[in-house]
Amino acid sequence: MLDNSRIYLSLGSNLGERALNLARAVQALSCAGVRVLRQSSLYETEPVDLLEQPWFLNCVLEAETSLLPQQLLGALQGIERQQGSRKLVARGPRIVDLDIIFYGSIVLRTPEIEIPHPRMAERRFVLVPLAELAPTLVHPVHHATIAELLAVTRDQSMVRIWKPAGDGSQKNIDGNVCG
């Protein structure tokens, strides 16, 4: 068994009950061999690339896992499928989208997986929540901290802290996700 590796994951949702979709994904991670240590705030974010779609809710998780990178990718894709997410359009609408941002200090490039995430330094919806959790974390390819990458990114899309509607109602996550 491998020692646990520190990982950072980016989660997003722009279809259905976005906050509930993210909460279910976070809960499902524990069943998939990922121990969540910390979660950023939820941020409402403007779509990039494909602009004609609903705004996203995004967050970043700091976690540990003993899964290998390819196994982790498979687990994340399984959670996406379990929640009904389909990637019919590249960078299009999603019930939930889970991406590996960092896996320790590993740099990995295969046809199936790229770590660190190849476009993270160009995405405020990743950098802002990641900077909340780990502003001094150093990118193993760019050799700059997350705070430094955020300060120089060309992405000017809107990223703001999300506040749920003030109707006082809270939705609960149903049942045992691991079942």
Side-chain angles (χ1 to χ4, degrees):
M1 179 145 175
L2 293 174
D3 290 337
N4 280 346
S5 293
R6 185 67 48 101
I7 61 171
Y8 289 87
L9 305 175
S10 175
L11 284 69
S13 175
N14 74 337
L15 295 177
E17 295 187 46
R18 302 172 302 167
L20 186 58
N21 296 340
L22 295 178
R24 285 182 175 142
V26 170
Q27 188 176 28
L29 285 167
S30 66
C31 305
V34 175
R35 186 168 75 93
V36 175
L37 303 173
R38 295 189 302 155
Q39 178 177 332
S40 74
S41 302
L42 293 181
Y43 290 85
E44 190 162 37
T45 65
E46 182 177 14
V48 289
D49 296 324
L50 182 60
L51 303 179
E52 297 299 319
Q53 61 179 319
W55 282 44
F56 284 82
L57 281 188
N58 289 94
C59 67
V60 166
L61 305 176
E62 178 181 5
E64 290 180 337
T65 189
S66 59
L67 298 173
L68 296 172
Q70 294 83 352
Q71 294 170 320
L72 177 60
L73 177 63
L76 299 182
Q77 291 170 339
I79 292 168
E80 290 173 347
R81 283 190 304 274
Q82 184 180 44
Q83 289 199 23
S85 208
R86 305 285 182 265
K87 294 185 180 184
L88 302 175
V89 177
R91 300 184 182 111
R94 301 279 186 272
I95 292 171
V96 69
D97 187 39
L98 293 90
D99 290 314
I100 303 168
I101 303 303
F102 291 115
Y103 187 103
S105 59
I106 288 176
V107 176
L108 178 64
R109 302 277 184 261
T110 72
E112 298 80 33
I113 188 171
E114 289 188 56
I115 300 172
H117 193 284
R119 290 175 302 283
M120 66 154 294
E122 306 160 12
R123 302 289 190 244
R124 283 178 44 82
F125 67 83
V126 174
L127 291 171
V128 170
L130 184 55
E132 177 187 325
L133 293 182
T136 60
L137 181 67
V138 176
H139 192 292
V141 174
H142 295 299
H143 305 291
T145 67
I146 299 309
E148 291 166 340
L149 291 173
L150 179 57
V152 300
T153 187
R154 293 182 181 178
D155 179 10
Q156 295 302 308
S157 63
M158 178 71 69
V159 175
R160 60 185 178 224
I161 293 277
W162 178 73
K163 300 202 184 317
D167 65 2
S169 66
Q170 291 287 339
K171 301 237 180 200
N172 291 326
I173 300 171
D174 296 335
N176 180 4
V177 176
C178 296

